[in-house]
Amino acid sequence: MEGRFGSIYTHGFIRAAVCIPTLRVADPRFNAERTIALARKASAEKATVALFPELGISAYSNDDLFHQDALLEASRAALLDIVKASADLTPILAVGCPLRFEGKLFNCAVIIYRGRILGIVPKTYLPNYREFYEKRQFTSAVDAISRQVTLGVWTVPFGNDIIFDADNIEGFKLLVEICEDVWTPIPPSTYASLAGATVLLNLSASNITIGKAEYRRSLCSGQSGKCISAYLYSAAGPGESTTDLAWDGHALIYEDSALLAEAERFPQEEQMIVADVDVEHLLQERMRSTSFNESARSCRERVESIRTVHFEFNIPEGDIALRRAVNRFPYVPADKQARDERCFEAYNIQVHGLMKRLSSTGIQKIVIGVSVGLDSTHALIVAAKTMDRMKLPRKNILAYTMPGLATSNLTRGNAHKLMDALGVTGSEIDIKPSCMQMFKDIAHPFAAGKPVYDITFENVQAGERTSHLFRLANLHNALVLGTGDLSELALGWATYGVGDHMSHYNVNVSVPKTLIQHLIRWVVLSSQFDKETSKILESILETEISPELVPHQEGDVNAPAQKTCDKIGPYDLQDFNLYYITRFGYRPSKVAFLSFHAWGDENRGAWPDLLPTERRRAYDLPTIKKWLDLFLHRFFKTSQFKRSCIPNGPKVGSGGSLSPRGDWRAPSDSEATVWLEELRKNVP
């Protein structure tokens, strides 16, 4: 769908609203007025769909008043007033009304759009236990004979087997069910989802009792997750009868099990919640989930019988900003509790992966190169914890710092401090002589005294380090522990073969750089090691990320000369790109749209609490586009051959792995053209 870059509708989103109006029992005219008022409010928000509570036109708590002609006729008239008022409104409206057809009374959801009724959905499951007596007044959808009914001037589809499909918004297909329907083992929305419905609406009344709200959340979250859908839920609010029951006005919006918005409960006034639902995300997840699609086979007859009502949605014009939280760090939760849990799991997955590899090989020693960059630092502390768990001495970790032609005093000093603090067997091997011999052997200009700092100059040093590590492992019957991370692998930022690309086992292989930073901060915060070690780790976190392979022009040896971000961009942005490109397969323009929403304003959204204030920054759209362009070229065009033959290592997060034995299988000789063209064409 083409459109403006600044509009959510260009990027596969629809805007969902759930409305809880104030009502009066048995006063349809008043209730219609409040419904129309909130519908206009949703329209002002450019909403795609607005959901209202069950029997909201008449009120739910009428009991035997539902068998009074005056109330039913007034409800029908009020419904037609809402239909008329919807003619110039943006959203599709789903409202609840008692309606008579076939000499039976049905508890109905009426789907209204732009001055007409698209269809009517009667409630399927009528609760008749504890405080509920719905079978006393209503008839179930399964007992309806007609598949279409006439209301006003419209003859429309009628039944619980209808999907409402907006033909001009790919994947936007509505299914409506009512309250108790979702409390059953197999809700109607399950079958509809297998038939293609992506946005599920539940008009509910649902009186409140202690603990019920949490159960509602679990129901809606579970249904949206199992059905890979959005789930909108509305409960009755202020004004329902409290003769025997109470009402809390609960409203919820979920997407693929994640909560997007929730209303205040027990409000004094009517309210509306709004969230932007990523329909493209749902389609992507369904496409990947073969088990979801295979489930339709078990109930093919029921799924094939579902009817579709086609209509065209009038898409609002102009820029429509995203109303949704997008984490700057998709691999790192901003919520403290979720972050601690994520770090705990990642850290222990790495430790247990290494424990298994050591125990299965019978090897009890580890060789590791320590540059005290973030990656080698984290791999070293994982190795130390692994030795502790296996009740082996940390001296079994043979850690080597190998200063080269650009190693700074800062990193060299921190390497020795960290090795001493952890109690490993720390050593230093100066690789400059072997590098110089290599330069002479291959006739590199640097051997003749010329300051040529090309890729060969850099890779000779990286290769010498790795070559030493493997021979040390042979000598000491040890395992070479890799340190390179997921972010570097995605960008091809590794020296192939005899270089940091290779090891016997790599605990960081599916951990992105931004998560490694937070894992080290978490290790400090949770006191995994003593205070001295934590102090050194904090110093390492403050050091500029650098390969340290090219020296300062001025001869400064106190700090790294190179900045990795100058070559491949900020890891903040590149990890964001990596997550949405590989995990969800989004087109580049959508990734840029999400990235600008997440990173465009430093003051918008939550920051992880462990990230120092001075590290918080914003990126403008040209910067985002520039580094995404580079990511696409490197990821799709130039670096897959490195990923096709990487060492073993554990998959850590749901964000994925780039191992050809795990999440990612791709040709090494593909082109990046389609991704680059889409980015350059559609991002201003």
Side-chain angles (χ1 to χ4, degrees), residues 130-429:
R130 297 195 180 99
E131 65 265 44
F132 302 109
Y133 296 92
E134 287 190 29
K135 288 184 179 179
R136 182 181 175 95
Q137 289 95 27
F138 295 103
T139 299
S140 168
V142 297
D143 294 318
I145 297 171
S146 304
R147 288 170 59 83
Q148 63 179 24
V149 294
T150 299
L151 180 64
V153 298
W154 301 278
T155 298
V156 298
F158 178 75
N160 63 355
D161 59 348
I162 306 169
I163 290 175
F164 301 90
D165 185 353
D167 292 331
N168 60 328
I169 300 181
E170 184 177 1
F172 176 38
K173 300 182 179 183
L174 288 172
L175 179 282
V176 181
E177 59 190 7
I178 302 175
C179 199
E180 184 79 2
D181 291 349
V182 77
W183 298 67
T184 60
I186 307 178
S189 55
T190 299
Y191 298 112
S193 297
L194 295 173
T198 53
V199 181
L200 314 178
L201 311 182
N202 188 308
L203 295 81
S204 181
S206 189
N207 64 297
I208 185 61
T209 55
I210 294 172
K212 192 173 184 179
E214 185 55 40
Y215 190 60
R216 289 190 199 123
R217 294 186 190 102
S218 66
L219 273 178
C220 296
S221 175
Q223 188 67 355
S224 73
K226 289 188 298 181
C227 294
I228 313 180
S229 67
Y231 203 91
L232 281 59
Y233 179 90
S234 65
E240 287 283 1
S241 172
T242 58
T243 300
D244 290 302
L245 303 173
W247 317 86
D248 63 343
H250 205 184
L252 298 161
I253 302 175
Y254 281 89
E255 176 190 293
D256 196 13
S257 79
L259 179 65
L260 299 184
E262 182 173 11
E264 175 191 351
R265 294 174 56 225
F266 302 104
Q268 295 295 316
E269 306 294 336
E270 59 192 18
Q271 58 179 324
M272 178 178 76
I273 60 171
V274 175
D276 292 341
V277 170
D278 191 345
V279 174
E280 281 187 349
H281 162 77
L282 301 173
L283 296 179
Q284 272 279 349
E285 289 298 276
R286 288 185 179 185
M287 181 176 66
R288 282 177 170 79
S289 179
T290 54
S291 300
F292 175 86
N293 296 312
E294 288 174 355
S295 298
R297 288 191 309 212
S298 303
C299 45
R300 180 181 295 274
E301 184 177 348
R302 178 72 180 266
V303 171
E304 288 178 344
S305 70
I306 291 176
R307 295 173 285 166
T308 300
V309 172
H310 295 275
F311 69 102
E312 185 165 311
F313 182 76
N314 190 358
I315 298 170
E317 297 180 352
D319 286 351
I320 302 174
L322 187 63
R323 294 273 294 274
R324 175 188 178 107
V326 177
N327 287 340
R328 294 176 176 86
F329 300 97
Y331 296 100
V332 183
D335 176 75
K336 181 181 181 299
Q337 182 176 349
R339 180 255 299 156
D340 286 348
E341 183 178 346
R342 183 81 56 88
C343 288
F344 170 82
E345 288 185 337
Y347 187 55
N348 281 282
I349 289 169
Q350 292 177 284
V351 168
H352 279 257
L354 183 55
M355 286 173 61
K356 173 61 178 177
R357 180 49 52 97
L358 289 172
S359 63
S360 67
T361 59
I363 293 173
Q364 295 187 345
K365 291 183 179 180
I366 289 170
V367 166
I368 182 173
V370 181
S371 68
V372 294
L374 295 171
D375 297 339
S376 65
T377 295
H378 185 60
L380 181 59
I381 59 181
V382 167
K385 189 62 69 174
T386 300
M387 290 298 170
D388 295 347
R389 295 271 180 90
M390 297 183 73
K391 301 189 185 311
L392 294 171
R394 290 187 187 175
K395 289 294 182 181
N396 282 20
I397 301 172
L398 311 180
Y400 295 86
T401 180
M402 292 179 280
L405 295 157
T407 302
S408 68
N409 291 337
L410 174 63
T411 56
R412 183 183 177 189
N414 274 338
H416 283 287
K417 290 177 184 177
L418 182 62
M419 292 187 296
D420 290 344
L422 289 172
V424 303
T425 302
S427 304
E428 178 173 298
I429 297 176

Side-chain angles (χ1 to χ4, degrees), residues 478-497:
L479 178 150
V480 176
L481 188 63
T483 62
D485 64 46
L486 183 72
S487 310
E488 294 176 342
L489 198 58
L491 291 158
W493 192 247
T495 301
Y496 183 78

Side-chain angles (χ1 to χ4, degrees), residues 613-660:
T613 304
E614 63 272 15
R615 294 287 181 98
R616 299 176 183 182
R617 56 179 66 90
Y619 299 101
D620 60 19
L621 188 57
T623 301
I624 289 168
K625 183 177 181 180
K626 170 187 174 180
W627 293 119
L628 179 52
D629 190 293
L630 179 137
F631 177 90
L632 297 171
H633 174 75
R634 294 187 69 110
F635 184 83
F636 289 107
K637 175 68 175 174
T638 67
S639 59
Q640 177 58 38
F641 75 100
K642 297 181 181 180
R643 297 188 286 271
S644 294
C645 54
I646 60 174
N648 293 175
K651 177 179 176 179
V652 171
S654 62
S657 157
L658 292 177
S659 168

